[in-house]
Amino acid sequence: MNTPVSPGSSTAVIAGIGACLPPRVVDNDTVIARGALRTDDTWIRDRTGIARRRHAEPGTSTGDLAVGAGRAALASAGGPSPDMLLLATTTPDHPCPATAPTVAHRLGLGTIPAFDLAAVCSGFLYALVTATALIRSRACTTALVIGADTYTTIVDPTDRETAPIFGDGAGAVLLRPGTPDEPGAVIATDLGADGSGSDLITVPHGGSRHPQHLPPADPAARHFRMQGRTVYAHAVRHMTRSANSALRQARWSTDTVRAFIGHQANQRILDSVADRLGIEPAHRFGNIRDLGNTAAASVPLVLADRAVHQAVTPGERSLLTAFGGGLTWASVALHWPSAVPRTEAPPTDLDTTPLS
């Protein structure tokens, strides 16, 4: 799916940026001790680039983090109020109903349309592209797009391949209609998927294929699984191709890109993609060292990083790309937003009411 913006036409513009991170910082040694992992801090840093990550406290859900990020994005924008909410997540508060309507309610947004979108680690960019299309078609005027995940709820703490990688968090942007020459304007997008690789990143048990009430043949099937080496090759190839597609549509050369943000899965993957694209090291931005892989939240959390915003001038050409389970991938070419990011702690009005 390729959607370039024609000169003079309207598009979506990022008007606000928000983030919400759990306060608990967990270093590599703590992860190793918790799961009795046969590894060490050096191995994790060398293989992934991760030194620490955030873990949500027990009782803090994906929806709670999404509310915090949403509030921060709304405060960053200062208005207008959104008339659509999209929540990208693989770890919803419940299998049913979707988490987005509750998030919209807790944000005081009334009865606006709100829905979850599941594209794993590509989820935020999938939601950003979807919201942009809705704004261009005038199906909505302002959209709140949130990427939020609590992967610590589905990762096996004793699995050396996945336990050190993931952290929890949420990031959000508020989109409004605008023109392609504005800071924050979405210029071109690219989406793709390949279901033949659906077994490479998965939680095998708990869906309609293997219902929760039936015991799994393997207890580990209740947890997140990933075939790391194969995923690495797919991620590098598809993120590179997708990013190049977005650049071609935007008619931008790689050497004009001043901010490159890839999904924060693994530093080696990020470096390989940037090298293949020809992005100079000075224009590569990320937070994987301190936050790990926050799944759908990873790209908006880098967007919300104040240090990144101090390094990039509003309006400069920027490129976002991601890869996730499904398999899915997505890229967005945009002008760097002028919105000042806001960060909030998880809200205290946690929604702990059980569903009947």
Side-chain angles (χ1 to χ4, degrees), residues 50 90 117 127 129 175 220 272 295:
I50 299 169
T90 310
L117 188 154
V129 173
L175 297 176
S272 293

Side-chain angles (χ1 to χ4, degrees), residues 256-261 280-286 302-318 336-337 339 341:
T256 66
V257 173
R258 292 296 175 265
F260 171 74
I261 298 173
E280 294 293 331
H283 304 314
R284 307 174 186 182
F285 297 99
V302 181
L303 279 173
D305 191 309
R306 286 185 177 271
V308 174
H309 270 261
Q310 292 172 357
V312 186
T313 302
E316 289 191 318
R317 293 179 174 181
S318 307
W336 190 258

Side-chain angles (χ1 to χ4, degrees), residues 58-234:
T60 298
S61 74
T62 294
D64 298 328
L65 299 180
V67 169
R71 285 178 178 166
L74 294 173
S76 168
S81 181
D83 56 3
M84 182 83 73
L85 188 151
L86 291 73
L87 172 60
T89 186
T90 310
T91 55
D93 288 5
H94 309 280
C96 176
T99 303
T102 303
V103 171
H105 169 72
R106 293 173 64 189
L107 290 172
L109 300 179
T111 58
I112 67 169
F115 60 93
D116 290 2
L117 188 154
V120 196
C121 296
S122 302
F124 174 77
L125 291 186
Y126 258 71
L128 180 62
V129 173
T130 301
T132 296
L134 291 170
I135 288 173
R136 289 178 184 171
S137 69
R138 300 184 182 179
C140 69
T141 58
T142 310
L144 181 60
V145 179
I146 306 173
D149 271 308
T150 50
Y151 259 58
T152 56
T153 62
I154 62 173
V155 168
D156 181 356
T158 67
D159 181 3
R160 188 181 76 157
E161 300 300 319
T162 59
I165 296 175
F166 292 96
D168 303 327
V173 297
L174 184 71
L175 297 176
R176 61 163 176 81
T179 58
D181 59 344
E182 294 185 65
V186 175
I187 304 302
T189 66
D190 179 81
L191 298 177
D194 180 6
S196 69
S198 61
D199 61 331
L200 298 179
I201 300 172
T202 181
V203 178
H205 193 73
S208 62
R209 177 69 64 187
H210 300 287
Q212 189 68 41
H213 68 277
L214 298 177
D218 177 6
R222 299 183 187 276
H223 296 288
F224 177 89
R225 288 178 169 178
M226 180 172 63
Q227 298 180 35
R229 292 184 179 180
T230 306
V231 166
Y232 182 103
H234 279 283

Side-chain angles (χ1 to χ4, degrees), residues 270-344:
L270 291 167
D271 290 341
S272 293
V273 173
D275 288 344
R276 292 187 180 200
L277 291 171
I279 304 291
E280 294 293 331
H283 304 314
R284 307 174 186 182
F285 297 99
N287 55 22
I288 190 169
R289 180 179 182 276
D290 296 318
L291 298 184
N293 181 345
T294 51
S298 77
V299 169
L301 282 173
V302 181
L303 279 173
D305 191 309
R306 286 185 177 271
V308 174
H309 270 261
Q310 292 172 357
V312 186
T313 302
E316 289 191 318
R317 293 179 174 181
S318 307
L319 180 63
L320 317 178
T321 188
F323 175 85
L327 301 169
T328 61
W329 53 88
S331 296
V332 173
L334 75 161
H335 292 143
W336 190 258
S338 59
V340 178
R342 294 280 295 268
T343 300
E344 290 204 8

